[in-house]
Amino acid sequence: MLINNEKLNLVQSAIENLDLNTENYHLLASSSDLENKNFVYIKGDLQPQSFKIKFIEGVTDSIIFIGDKQKGKGCHIRVEYSSSLIYIGGNCNLKNLSLRGGNILIGDAVSSHEGRWQAGVNSREVLDGKPNLEAMIIVGDDCMFSRDITIRTSDAHPIYDFNSNKIVNLTDKSVFIEPHVWVCEKVSIMKGIKIGACSILALGAVVTKDVPRNSSAGGVPAVFRSLNGKVWARNTFKTSKLQSEYYFNKYINI
């Protein structure tokens, strides 16, 4: 198992139709690295311009799942650690998005127009010979990301306490974004952060603390306030309003 049961339960709480059964996919041999047991599994047809996939040298035993009805193009996936799991749900629209590092799981109907999401210590760094794969990026269903979004599970470089000779800025906490979150342009989401469902992260926010459900957060560092029962929608169409109502009733009006 690439992720433990505790992490799997967390993922399933945010991605309703999570499917890690390889029998429900077909192998995309042209993007896989069969010699090193790095596999790419897809549902339906995948346009060549949709995803650029690279397993870096030395990486083994990793899996990428990509659901059907992908709409975006220019999504770059760079797997940098062995035993990594990348999951992208169905009906996503990921444009010019860079996914790097280790474990990244994205739910159904997620849209993103540009950004860099990195899971792991940094691009190649390991601690005591082992990469930090406990810190994952988990994005729930129906989240909407604007341009120039940064998500990181680490500070990218270690900070040492030379009195104890220990690294003091490590974390094994994931970045966990619950369903139906709107992330506006130029937002940065830092390590170990949880964003509650039906929330909005305002333009330019730097999120360094958890944001409760149905909240709006903005500023540097971001400060949150309650939305008091208001909920965002993608547009004014009836289907979009019903989708918002579904998540509001599931997570807020309970």
Side-chain angles (χ1 to χ4, degrees):
M1 192 67 188
L2 297 176
I3 57 176
N4 62 40
N5 287 334
E6 180 182 355
K7 294 289 187 181
L8 182 60
N9 290 336
L10 185 65
V11 173
Q12 289 174 323
S13 73
I15 302 177
E16 187 172 0
N17 296 313
L18 181 72
D19 185 0
L20 300 178
N21 185 352
T22 58
E23 294 183 359
N24 296 329
Y25 297 78
H26 61 270
L27 180 68
L28 186 63
S30 60
S31 295
S32 298
D33 175 12
L34 303 180
E35 181 179 353
N36 292 300
K37 299 181 181 179
N38 297 315
F39 303 112
V40 179
Y41 291 99
I42 66 171
K43 290 183 178 180
D45 296 323
L46 193 66
Q47 299 300 317
Q49 68 270 24
S50 298
F51 292 89
K52 303 295 183 183
I53 298 170
K54 181 178 179 61
F55 298 94
I56 69 166
E57 185 178 355
V59 167
T60 63
D61 303 298
S62 295
I63 299 180
I64 297 174
F65 291 98
I66 301 176
D68 59 357
K69 300 179 182 178
Q70 301 297 321
K71 300 175 183 177
K73 61 181 180 179
C75 180
H76 291 255
I77 301 175
R78 178 181 167 96
V79 182
E80 299 177 338
Y81 302 119
S82 295
S83 300
S84 291
L85 173 62
I86 308 292
Y87 178 90
I88 298 172
N91 199 31
C92 287
N93 189 1
L94 307 180
K95 298 178 181 177
N96 300 318
L97 178 63
S98 173
L99 305 176
R100 300 185 59 173
N103 295 327
I104 301 174
L105 296 99
I106 299 170
D108 291 342
V110 172
S111 61
S112 176
H113 291 280
E114 184 181 329
R116 178 175 170 130
W117 303 359
Q118 184 159 340
V121 182
N122 66 25
S123 59
R124 290 304 302 272
E125 185 179 355
V126 296
L127 178 66
D128 296 330
K130 297 180 180 179
N132 177 21
L133 293 180
E134 289 297 313
M136 307 163 60
I137 294 174
I138 303 167
V139 176
D141 297 327
D142 198 45
C143 287
M144 183 172 69
F145 296 83
S146 186
R147 293 173 174 82
D148 199 13
I149 306 299
T150 298
I151 304 177
R152 306 187 68 97
T153 62
S154 79
D155 298 326
H157 302 283
I159 300 174
Y160 286 94
D161 179 348
F162 283 114
N163 292 318
S164 64
N165 200 34
K166 293 182 178 180
I167 299 175
V168 298
N169 62 327
L170 289 176
T171 181
D172 60 359
K173 290 181 63 178
S174 297
V175 172
F176 180 43
I177 302 175
E178 289 190 324
H180 198 67
V181 171
W182 175 13
V183 182
C184 298
E185 195 168 344
K186 297 183 184 300
V187 168
S188 296
I189 301 173
M190 301 291 99
K191 63 180 184 180
I193 298 302
K194 179 180 179 180
I195 310 296
C198 302
S199 291
I200 302 171
L201 305 184
L203 174 75
V206 177
V207 186
T208 61
K209 295 183 179 179
D210 292 351
V211 176
R213 291 175 177 176
N214 198 220
S215 297
S216 173
V220 182
V223 177
F224 68 83
R225 60 180 178 83
S226 175
L227 287 172
N228 292 318
K230 304 178 185 68
V231 62
W232 67 272
R234 290 178 180 265
N235 50 54
T236 58
F237 297 150
K238 183 178 180 180
T239 53
S240 182
K241 183 180 178 182
L242 289 173
Q243 190 80 339
S244 300
E245 184 178 1
Y246 169 80
Y247 288 106
F248 182 80
N249 289 332
K250 182 175 181 179
Y251 289 97
I252 311 303
N253 191 25
I254 55 178

